[in-house]
Amino acid sequence: DPQVVHFHEPFAPRVGWSTLRAHRVAAVGTFHRSGEGPAVSLVAPLLRRWAGHLDVSAAVSEQAALTARQACGVNATVLFNGFETSRFVEFARERQPVTTVVVVGRLEGRKGVATAVTAVRTHNARREDPWRLVIIGDGPERASLMTLAGNDADVQFLGAVSDVEKRRWYRRADVLIAPATHGESFGLILLEAMASETPVVASDIPGYRDAAGPHAEFFESGQSAGLERAVGVALNRDDVTLARARDHAEHWSMHRLVDDYLGLYERARQQFAALR
């Protein structure tokens, strides 16, 4: 007997469809997806009809809100992806014997990990201060990325790791690299690294700009030379700059997000009651 049902990606196939159609209690929807694509555009008329069953809508970024508006006719309140910022300084900083840059994410084409591999190998081929690239995650591109890396001992594939181990690697890293080419509605991993007091290098795409603001070093998506230069700049960030980035990450605190959603839940209850 809930008072509010909160749907994440309310039009994702199957999960929650019958509850959304029934609309027996107040309904809140949060949209995460950025970019329409054929899967959305082909069923847009159905989505627009079902959108009327949502009393209140939110989106995790401006890009996700734009997608919801264009695909579903929904005007969503832009909030954010919240996370527990204090957990990212739970472990002590572990300085590594060699400069260590880390990539976190699913190994698929749009994540741009090949750009990071190329940049690190190019840097190491002509400089005396080698970088170690640690790749955390798994996916369909793993085999091709391992081929691209060859037998280079400075490129390590860890596969999927636990959340605890991921947070430990944030504290071990000298730089986090987020090299995705597109399709990122919000750069949560950038904020996680900032909360860990780790410098961030990211491709210059809207979702990453929305998340990081001026607190990351950006490079043109897919350009390994630009990524290499950005890492060099990030490695020289001082403690004051890192502290500002951590303060920026605190704006996405889960505590703050909960307060925002409680307000949306109350709005949804009032809207639902007004229609009954």
Side-chain angles (χ1 to χ4, degrees), residues 86-229:
S86 61
R87 296 169 69 236
F88 289 86
V89 285
E90 180 181 352
F91 304 110
R93 172 69 71 182
E94 298 180 43
R95 292 299 179 190
Q96 302 298 295
V98 63
T99 298
T100 299
V101 295
V102 172
V103 171
V104 176
R106 181 169 167 76
L107 304 186
E108 58 186 25
R110 72 178 181 86
K111 292 294 189 178
V113 181
T115 307
V117 173
T118 300
V120 169
R121 298 199 72 196
T122 301
H123 171 88
N124 289 351
R126 52 187 174 75
R127 297 197 180 263
E128 296 180 356
D129 55 332
W131 297 343
R132 176 176 61 152
L133 173 61
V134 175
I135 299 171
I136 297 173
D138 213 339
E141 295 289 317
R142 178 166 180 166
S144 62
L145 289 168
M146 292 182 74
T147 298
L148 179 64
N151 295 316
D152 193 337
D154 289 322
V155 181
Q156 300 177 358
F157 292 82
L158 300 189
V161 303
S162 68
D163 181 71
V164 168
E165 190 64 9
K166 179 187 74 171
R167 287 185 281 123
R168 286 188 182 278
W169 274 106
Y170 280 138
R171 297 287 280 171
R172 293 168 183 151
D174 293 287
V175 173
L176 173 87
I177 300 174
T181 60
H182 65 281
E184 297 291 331
S185 67
F186 188 79
L188 182 60
I189 61 169
L190 280 64
L191 295 172
E192 290 179 344
M194 291 177 188
S196 305
E197 302 171 333
T198 297
V200 172
V201 167
S203 51
D204 195 356
I205 59 176
Y208 286 170
R209 278 282 181 188
D210 288 347
H215 301 287
E217 295 296 331
F218 290 96
F219 68 96
E220 184 178 351
S221 172
Q223 299 297 313
S224 59
L227 191 159
E228 183 184 355
R229 284 192 297 271

